[in-house]
Amino acid sequence: MAGHRLDASTVALWRLNETSGSNCADAAPGARDLTATGATITDGLFGKCRLYRHGQSDKCERAATDDALGAVFASAEFSWESWIYRPTSADGTLFEFGSAGTTQFRVKVANAASGHSGAFAVDSRGHAGGGWTRYGPTVPTNAWVHLAVTFEASTDNKADVRLTIDCAGGTTVNVDYWRIDSYPPAPAGPHYLKVGEDFRSSTLDGLIDDTRISDVHRGDICADMDECYLPSPEVISYLNRMHGGVR
């Protein structure tokens, strides 16, 4: 079984399958490697992955990344995808790209205060407020799931945003669509990029594996990702030690 494929439209691809060290290599030509802080190596879906603990500021980040990635997130069409495993119902951030004053693009599991506890969510906003948020289906726990956000240009110069959760052995694919009036704004640099945490130190509770960013709207996501995987016995044992049991 393989992860996301590397093709001409792939802007960044973090396999997160290193067996040692803090470097998280980018398999794409841009070589936007990340540095892990606290996010430990454990068994994942495609070999190794990174474990994040809610409230511990675990992350893989690139403190100063190039403006070209910001242009991708401000474009008419792009896609973000990742495989994750949630052992608990805790909220937290999966991915964030922004600058000191603006979150250009963030993907998260929503908290209870939002009124959408546990929902798959995407937003673009200033750190002091404003912007927009869209909430999708609830992210399952105790199973590997493939999450995807795709932006597709529409004929009226707006964007169709699609949030997809693929799970349940290919029998359930939850999809939500929205129309938004503008694409994520391109903030002034320098930019930062974080996997597993955002500017507020809101950390995911669980595992993040293969993560890909593309400069196209990928209409093949649902067709390609049609299975849900239970963790290996080694992962269950590890999560039992870290979280007091897989719930």
Side-chain angles (χ1 to χ4, degrees), residues 160-189:
D160 289 326
V161 183
R162 185 181 197 183
L163 273 64
T164 304
I165 299 177
D166 200 334
C167 190
T171 60
T172 303
V173 178
N174 296 313
V175 176
D176 279 3
Y177 263 118
W178 295 276
R179 177 66 56 82
I180 61 171
D181 292 332
S182 62
Y183 302 103

PDB file of all heavy atoms in Angstrom, residues 160-189:
ATOM      1  N   ASP A 160     -15.579  27.202  -5.128  1.00  0.00           N
ATOM      2  CA  ASP A 160     -16.286  26.081  -4.544  1.00  0.00           C
ATOM      3  C   ASP A 160     -15.310  25.343  -3.635  1.00  0.00           C
ATOM      4  O   ASP A 160     -14.257  24.876  -4.081  1.00  0.00           O
ATOM      5  CB  ASP A 160     -16.788  25.120  -5.623  1.00  0.00           C
ATOM      6  CG  ASP A 160     -17.931  25.716  -6.431  1.00  0.00           C
ATOM      7  OD1 ASP A 160     -18.720  26.471  -5.840  1.00  0.00           O
ATOM      8  OD2 ASP A 160     -18.025  25.434  -7.629  1.00  0.00           O
ATOM      9  N   VAL A 161     -15.636  25.258  -2.350  1.00  0.00           N
ATOM     10  CA  VAL A 161     -14.784  24.592  -1.374  1.00  0.00           C
ATOM     11  C   VAL A 161     -15.416  23.256  -1.024  1.00  0.00           C
ATOM     12  O   VAL A 161     -16.598  23.188  -0.677  1.00  0.00           O
ATOM     13  CB  VAL A 161     -14.626  25.436  -0.093  1.00  0.00           C
ATOM     14  CG1 VAL A 161     -13.674  24.749   0.875  1.00  0.00           C
ATOM     15  CG2 VAL A 161     -14.127  26.825  -0.430  1.00  0.00           C
ATOM     16  N   ARG A 162     -14.624  22.212  -1.099  1.00  0.00           N
ATOM     17  CA  ARG A 162     -15.128  20.874  -0.812  1.00  0.00           C
ATOM     18  C   ARG A 162     -14.311  20.263   0.320  1.00  0.00           C
ATOM     19  O   ARG A 162     -13.084  20.227   0.256  1.00  0.00           O
ATOM     20  CB  ARG A 162     -15.023  20.006  -2.053  1.00  0.00           C
ATOM     21  CG  ARG A 162     -15.638  18.626  -1.908  1.00  0.00           C
ATOM     22  CD  ARG A 162     -15.438  17.843  -3.207  1.00  0.00           C
ATOM     23  NE  ARG A 162     -16.315  16.694  -3.285  1.00  0.00           N
ATOM     24  CZ  ARG A 162     -16.306  15.811  -4.280  1.00  0.00           C
ATOM     25  NH1 ARG A 162     -15.452  15.961  -5.278  1.00  0.00           N
ATOM     26  NH2 ARG A 162     -17.139  14.793  -4.292  1.00  0.00           N
ATOM     27  N   LEU A 163     -14.976  19.776   1.360  1.00  0.00           N
ATOM     28  CA  LEU A 163     -14.338  19.061   2.460  1.00  0.00           C
ATOM     29  C   LEU A 163     -14.766  17.606   2.385  1.00  0.00           C
ATOM     30  O   LEU A 163     -15.965  17.305   2.347  1.00  0.00           O
ATOM     31  CB  LEU A 163     -14.750  19.634   3.821  1.00  0.00           C
ATOM     32  CG  LEU A 163     -13.910  20.807   4.359  1.00  0.00           C
ATOM     33  CD1 LEU A 163     -14.032  22.006   3.449  1.00  0.00           C
ATOM     34  CD2 LEU A 163     -14.321  21.156   5.776  1.00  0.00           C
ATOM     35  N   THR A 164     -13.806  16.715   2.331  1.00  0.00           N
ATOM     36  CA  THR A 164     -14.087  15.289   2.167  1.00  0.00           C
ATOM     37  C   THR A 164     -13.466  14.488   3.295  1.00  0.00           C
ATOM     38  O   THR A 164     -12.306  14.703   3.640  1.00  0.00           O
ATOM     39  CB  THR A 164     -13.521  14.773   0.827  1.00  0.00           C
ATOM     40  OG1 THR A 164     -14.045  15.558  -0.235  1.00  0.00           O
ATOM     41  CG2 THR A 164     -13.879  13.316   0.598  1.00  0.00           C
ATOM     42  N   ILE A 165     -14.236  13.566   3.862  1.00  0.00           N
ATOM     43  CA  ILE A 165     -13.729  12.574   4.802  1.00  0.00           C
ATOM     44  C   ILE A 165     -14.021  11.208   4.204  1.00  0.00           C
ATOM     45  O   ILE A 165     -15.161  10.898   3.890  1.00  0.00           O
ATOM     46  CB  ILE A 165     -14.398  12.677   6.185  1.00  0.00           C
ATOM     47  CG1 ILE A 165     -14.127  14.048   6.808  1.00  0.00           C
ATOM     48  CG2 ILE A 165     -13.907  11.561   7.099  1.00  0.00           C
ATOM     49  CD1 ILE A 165     -14.819  14.240   8.151  1.00  0.00           C
ATOM     50  N   ASP A 166     -12.975  10.403   4.034  1.00  0.00           N
ATOM     51  CA  ASP A 166     -13.130   9.090   3.431  1.00  0.00           C
ATOM     52  C   ASP A 166     -12.844   8.036   4.487  1.00  0.00           C
ATOM     53  O   ASP A 166     -11.770   8.010   5.064  1.00  0.00           O
ATOM     54  CB  ASP A 166     -12.147   8.946   2.257  1.00  0.00           C
ATOM     55  CG  ASP A 166     -12.582   7.853   1.302  1.00  0.00           C
ATOM     56  OD1 ASP A 166     -13.282   6.942   1.746  1.00  0.00           O
ATOM     57  OD2 ASP A 166     -12.220   7.938   0.120  1.00  0.00           O
ATOM     58  N   CYS A 167     -13.824   7.169   4.724  1.00  0.00           N
ATOM     59  CA  CYS A 167     -13.692   6.218   5.813  1.00  0.00           C
ATOM     60  C   CYS A 167     -14.619   5.025   5.580  1.00  0.00           C
ATOM     61  O   CYS A 167     -15.228   4.877   4.532  1.00  0.00           O
ATOM     62  CB  CYS A 167     -14.020   6.903   7.143  1.00  0.00           C
ATOM     63  SG  CYS A 167     -13.605   5.913   8.591  1.00  0.00           S
ATOM     64  N   ALA A 168     -14.700   4.166   6.581  1.00  0.00           N
ATOM     65  CA  ALA A 168     -15.667   3.063   6.656  1.00  0.00           C
ATOM     66  C   ALA A 168     -15.565   2.086   5.502  1.00  0.00           C
ATOM     67  O   ALA A 168     -16.554   1.734   4.878  1.00  0.00           O
ATOM     68  CB  ALA A 168     -17.088   3.607   6.779  1.00  0.00           C
ATOM     69  N   GLY A 169     -14.343   1.636   5.211  1.00  0.00           N
ATOM     70  CA  GLY A 169     -14.149   0.585   4.235  1.00  0.00           C
ATOM     71  C   GLY A 169     -14.633   0.914   2.848  1.00  0.00           C
ATOM     72  O   GLY A 169     -14.972   0.033   2.050  1.00  0.00           O
ATOM     73  N   GLY A 170     -14.690   2.185   2.512  1.00  0.00           N
ATOM     74  CA  GLY A 170     -15.150   2.594   1.192  1.00  0.00           C
ATOM     75  C   GLY A 170     -16.654   2.710   1.085  1.00  0.00           C
ATOM     76  O   GLY A 170     -17.180   3.072   0.036  1.00  0.00           O
ATOM     77  N   THR A 171     -17.392   2.412   2.170  1.00  0.00           N
ATOM     78  CA  THR A 171     -18.849   2.452   2.106  1.00  0.00           C
ATOM     79  C   THR A 171     -19.407   3.832   2.448  1.00  0.00           C
ATOM     80  O   THR A 171     -20.556   4.106   2.159  1.00  0.00           O
ATOM     81  CB  THR A 171     -19.452   1.426   3.076  1.00  0.00           C
ATOM     82  OG1 THR A 171     -19.020   1.732   4.413  1.00  0.00           O
ATOM     83  CG2 THR A 171     -18.975   0.019   2.722  1.00  0.00           C
ATOM     84  N   THR A 172     -18.607   4.689   3.088  1.00  0.00           N
ATOM     85  CA  THR A 172     -19.087   6.012   3.488  1.00  0.00           C
ATOM     86  C   THR A 172     -18.088   7.076   3.065  1.00  0.00           C
ATOM     87  O   THR A 172     -16.938   7.055   3.486  1.00  0.00           O
ATOM     88  CB  THR A 172     -19.293   6.092   5.008  1.00  0.00           C
ATOM     89  OG1 THR A 172     -20.208   5.075   5.411  1.00  0.00           O
ATOM     90  CG2 THR A 172     -19.852   7.452   5.397  1.00  0.00           C
ATOM     91  N   VAL A 173     -18.519   7.997   2.252  1.00  0.00           N
ATOM     92  CA  VAL A 173     -17.713   9.159   1.899  1.00  0.00           C
ATOM     93  C   VAL A 173     -18.566  10.383   2.166  1.00  0.00           C
ATOM     94  O   VAL A 173     -19.567  10.618   1.492  1.00  0.00           O
ATOM     95  CB  VAL A 173     -17.277   9.130   0.422  1.00  0.00           C
ATOM     96  CG1 VAL A 173     -16.494  10.389   0.090  1.00  0.00           C
ATOM     97  CG2 VAL A 173     -16.429   7.900   0.137  1.00  0.00           C
ATOM     98  N   ASN A 174     -18.210  11.143   3.188  1.00  0.00           N
ATOM     99  CA  ASN A 174     -18.972  12.331   3.552  1.00  0.00           C
ATOM    100  C   ASN A 174     -18.396  13.545   2.838  1.00  0.00           C
ATOM    101  O   ASN A 174     -17.208  13.824   2.937  1.00  0.00           O
ATOM    102  CB  ASN A 174     -18.902  12.564   5.065  1.00  0.00           C
ATOM    103  CG  ASN A 174     -19.554  11.426   5.830  1.00  0.00           C
ATOM    104  OD1 ASN A 174     -20.640  11.008   5.492  1.00  0.00           O
ATOM    105  ND2 ASN A 174     -18.872  10.915   6.851  1.00  0.00           N
ATOM    106  N   VAL A 175     -19.216  14.266   2.119  1.00  0.00           N
ATOM    107  CA  VAL A 175     -18.754  15.400   1.323  1.00  0.00           C
ATOM    108  C   VAL A 175     -19.633  16.615   1.609  1.00  0.00           C
ATOM    109  O   VAL A 175     -20.856  16.522   1.630  1.00  0.00           O
ATOM    110  CB  VAL A 175     -18.802  15.074  -0.182  1.00  0.00           C
ATOM    111  CG1 VAL A 175     -18.406  16.297  -0.991  1.00  0.00           C
ATOM    112  CG2 VAL A 175     -17.883  13.907  -0.505  1.00  0.00           C
ATOM    113  N   ASP A 176     -19.009  17.743   1.835  1.00  0.00           N
ATOM    114  CA  ASP A 176     -19.730  19.010   1.968  1.00  0.00           C
ATOM    115  C   ASP A 176     -19.151  20.008   0.976  1.00  0.00           C
ATOM    116  O   ASP A 176     -17.945  20.073   0.777  1.00  0.00           O
ATOM    117  CB  ASP A 176     -19.613  19.572   3.391  1.00  0.00           C
ATOM    118  CG  ASP A 176     -20.595  18.921   4.346  1.00  0.00           C
ATOM    119  OD1 ASP A 176     -21.313  18.007   3.902  1.00  0.00           O
ATOM    120  OD2 ASP A 176     -20.622  19.318   5.517  1.00  0.00           O
ATOM    121  N   TYR A 177     -20.036  20.806   0.364  1.00  0.00           N
ATOM    122  CA  TYR A 177     -19.650  21.835  -0.601  1.00  0.00           C
ATOM    123  C   TYR A 177     -20.079  23.210  -0.087  1.00  0.00           C
ATOM    124  O   TYR A 177     -21.134  23.342   0.519  1.00  0.00           O
ATOM    125  CB  TYR A 177     -20.359  21.619  -1.937  1.00  0.00           C
ATOM    126  CG  TYR A 177     -19.571  20.893  -2.991  1.00  0.00           C
ATOM    127  CD1 TYR A 177     -20.004  19.679  -3.484  1.00  0.00           C
ATOM    128  CD2 TYR A 177     -18.405  21.440  -3.518  1.00  0.00           C
ATOM    129  CE1 TYR A 177     -19.306  19.002  -4.471  1.00  0.00           C
ATOM    130  CE2 TYR A 177     -17.700  20.786  -4.513  1.00  0.00           C
ATOM    131  CZ  TYR A 177     -18.145  19.569  -4.978  1.00  0.00           C
ATOM    132  OH  TYR A 177     -17.454  18.915  -5.954  1.00  0.00           O
ATOM    133  N   TRP A 178     -19.264  24.232  -0.351  1.00  0.00           N
ATOM    134  CA  TRP A 178     -19.664  25.608  -0.080  1.00  0.00           C
ATOM    135  C   TRP A 178     -19.192  26.502  -1.209  1.00  0.00           C
ATOM    136  O   TRP A 178     -18.198  26.218  -1.872  1.00  0.00           O
ATOM    137  CB  TRP A 178     -19.057  26.134   1.222  1.00  0.00           C
ATOM    138  CG  TRP A 178     -19.544  25.431   2.429  1.00  0.00           C
ATOM    139  CD1 TRP A 178     -20.689  25.666   3.136  1.00  0.00           C
ATOM    140  CD2 TRP A 178     -18.903  24.352   3.085  1.00  0.00           C
ATOM    141  NE1 TRP A 178     -20.790  24.795   4.197  1.00  0.00           N
ATOM    142  CE2 TRP A 178     -19.711  23.972   4.180  1.00  0.00           C
ATOM    143  CE3 TRP A 178     -17.721  23.645   2.856  1.00  0.00           C
ATOM    144  CZ2 TRP A 178     -19.382  22.941   5.046  1.00  0.00           C
ATOM    145  CZ3 TRP A 178     -17.390  22.613   3.711  1.00  0.00           C
ATOM    146  CH2 TRP A 178     -18.219  22.273   4.792  1.00  0.00           C
ATOM    147  N   ARG A 179     -19.876  27.605  -1.380  1.00  0.00           N
ATOM    148  CA  ARG A 179     -19.422  28.661  -2.270  1.00  0.00           C
ATOM    149  C   ARG A 179     -18.932  29.816  -1.391  1.00  0.00           C
ATOM    150  O   ARG A 179     -19.634  30.240  -0.470  1.00  0.00           O
ATOM    151  CB  ARG A 179     -20.583  29.137  -3.157  1.00  0.00           C
ATOM    152  CG  ARG A 179     -20.238  30.292  -4.095  1.00  0.00           C
ATOM    153  CD  ARG A 179     -19.237  29.895  -5.151  1.00  0.00           C
ATOM    154  NE  ARG A 179     -19.628  28.770  -5.962  1.00  0.00           N
ATOM    155  CZ  ARG A 179     -20.446  28.837  -7.025  1.00  0.00           C
ATOM    156  NH1 ARG A 179     -20.960  29.992  -7.392  1.00  0.00           N
ATOM    157  NH2 ARG A 179     -20.729  27.758  -7.725  1.00  0.00           N
ATOM    158  N   ILE A 180     -17.714  30.292  -1.628  1.00  0.00           N
ATOM    159  CA  ILE A 180     -17.213  31.444  -0.888  1.00  0.00           C
ATOM    160  C   ILE A 180     -16.934  32.567  -1.873  1.00  0.00           C
ATOM    161  O   ILE A 180     -16.723  32.334  -3.065  1.00  0.00           O
ATOM    162  CB  ILE A 180     -15.942  31.121  -0.084  1.00  0.00           C
ATOM    163  CG1 ILE A 180     -14.798  30.669  -1.015  1.00  0.00           C
ATOM    164  CG2 ILE A 180     -16.214  30.082   0.985  1.00  0.00           C
ATOM    165  CD1 ILE A 180     -13.472  30.542  -0.304  1.00  0.00           C
ATOM    166  N   ASP A 181     -16.939  33.795  -1.367  1.00  0.00           N
ATOM    167  CA  ASP A 181     -16.810  34.970  -2.232  1.00  0.00           C
ATOM    168  C   ASP A 181     -15.374  35.289  -2.609  1.00  0.00           C
ATOM    169  O   ASP A 181     -15.126  36.042  -3.547  1.00  0.00           O
ATOM    170  CB  ASP A 181     -17.433  36.200  -1.553  1.00  0.00           C
ATOM    171  CG  ASP A 181     -18.941  36.066  -1.432  1.00  0.00           C
ATOM    172  OD1 ASP A 181     -19.534  35.377  -2.280  1.00  0.00           O
ATOM    173  OD2 ASP A 181     -19.505  36.629  -0.490  1.00  0.00           O
ATOM    174  N   SER A 182     -14.405  34.778  -1.869  1.00  0.00           N
ATOM    175  CA  SER A 182     -13.018  35.095  -2.170  1.00  0.00           C
ATOM    176  C   SER A 182     -12.120  33.944  -1.744  1.00  0.00           C
ATOM    177  O   SER A 182     -12.491  33.133  -0.891  1.00  0.00           O
ATOM    178  CB  SER A 182     -12.590  36.372  -1.444  1.00  0.00           C
ATOM    179  OG  SER A 182     -12.682  36.196  -0.047  1.00  0.00           O
ATOM    180  N   TYR A 183     -10.958  33.886  -2.329  1.00  0.00           N
ATOM    181  CA  TYR A 183      -9.980  32.879  -1.968  1.00  0.00           C
ATOM    182  C   TYR A 183      -9.207  33.341  -0.746  1.00  0.00           C
ATOM    183  O   TYR A 183      -9.236  34.518  -0.382  1.00  0.00           O
ATOM    184  CB  TYR A 183      -9.025  32.647  -3.151  1.00  0.00           C
ATOM    185  CG  TYR A 183      -9.743  32.213  -4.389  1.00  0.00           C
ATOM    186  CD1 TYR A 183      -9.981  33.097  -5.429  1.00  0.00           C
ATOM    187  CD2 TYR A 183     -10.223  30.907  -4.504  1.00  0.00           C
ATOM    188  CE1 TYR A 183     -10.662  32.703  -6.563  1.00  0.00           C
ATOM    189  CE2 TYR A 183     -10.901  30.500  -5.628  1.00  0.00           C
ATOM    190  CZ  TYR A 183     -11.118  31.400  -6.665  1.00  0.00           C
ATOM    191  OH  TYR A 183     -11.808  30.999  -7.768  1.00  0.00           O
ATOM    192  N   PRO A 184      -8.485  32.430  -0.069  1.00  0.00           N
ATOM    193  CA  PRO A 184      -7.674  32.864   1.072  1.00  0.00           C
ATOM    194  C   PRO A 184      -6.725  33.989   0.663  1.00  0.00           C
ATOM    195  O   PRO A 184      -6.065  33.893  -0.371  1.00  0.00           O
ATOM    196  CB  PRO A 184      -6.896  31.599   1.444  1.00  0.00           C
ATOM    197  CG  PRO A 184      -7.754  30.479   0.978  1.00  0.00           C
ATOM    198  CD  PRO A 184      -8.411  30.977  -0.280  1.00  0.00           C
ATOM    199  N   PRO A 185      -6.652  35.055   1.442  1.00  0.00           N
ATOM    200  CA  PRO A 185      -5.787  36.179   1.069  1.00  0.00           C
ATOM    201  C   PRO A 185      -4.316  35.803   1.176  1.00  0.00           C
ATOM    202  O   PRO A 185      -3.946  34.915   1.937  1.00  0.00           O
ATOM    203  CB  PRO A 185      -6.146  37.249   2.102  1.00  0.00           C
ATOM    204  CG  PRO A 185      -6.587  36.465   3.298  1.00  0.00           C
ATOM    205  CD  PRO A 185      -7.315  35.264   2.740  1.00  0.00           C
ATOM    206  N   ALA A 186      -3.484  36.467   0.404  1.00  0.00           N
ATOM    207  CA  ALA A 186      -2.036  36.249   0.471  1.00  0.00           C
ATOM    208  C   ALA A 186      -1.439  37.236   1.470  1.00  0.00           C
ATOM    209  O   ALA A 186      -1.333  38.425   1.179  1.00  0.00           O
ATOM    210  CB  ALA A 186      -1.411  36.434  -0.901  1.00  0.00           C
ATOM    211  N   PRO A 187      -1.069  36.811   2.678  1.00  0.00           N
ATOM    212  CA  PRO A 187      -0.534  37.746   3.665  1.00  0.00           C
ATOM    213  C   PRO A 187       0.903  38.118   3.347  1.00  0.00           C
ATOM    214  O   PRO A 187       1.603  37.422   2.599  1.00  0.00           O
ATOM    215  CB  PRO A 187      -0.597  36.937   4.969  1.00  0.00           C
ATOM    216  CG  PRO A 187      -0.418  35.519   4.523  1.00  0.00           C
ATOM    217  CD  PRO A 187      -1.105  35.430   3.179  1.00  0.00           C
ATOM    218  N   ALA A 188       1.337  39.220   3.922  1.00  0.00           N
ATOM    219  CA  ALA A 188       2.730  39.623   3.773  1.00  0.00           C
ATOM    220  C   ALA A 188       3.627  38.651   4.524  1.00  0.00           C
ATOM    221  O   ALA A 188       3.258  38.119   5.568  1.00  0.00           O
ATOM    222  CB  ALA A 188       2.917  41.036   4.312  1.00  0.00           C
ATOM    223  N   GLY A 189       4.820  38.385   3.985  1.00  0.00           N
ATOM    224  CA  GLY A 189       5.757  37.476   4.631  1.00  0.00           C
ATOM    225  C   GLY A 189       6.474  38.151   5.800  1.00  0.00           C
ATOM    226  O   GLY A 189       6.241  39.325   6.079  1.00  0.00           O
TER     227      GLY A 189
END
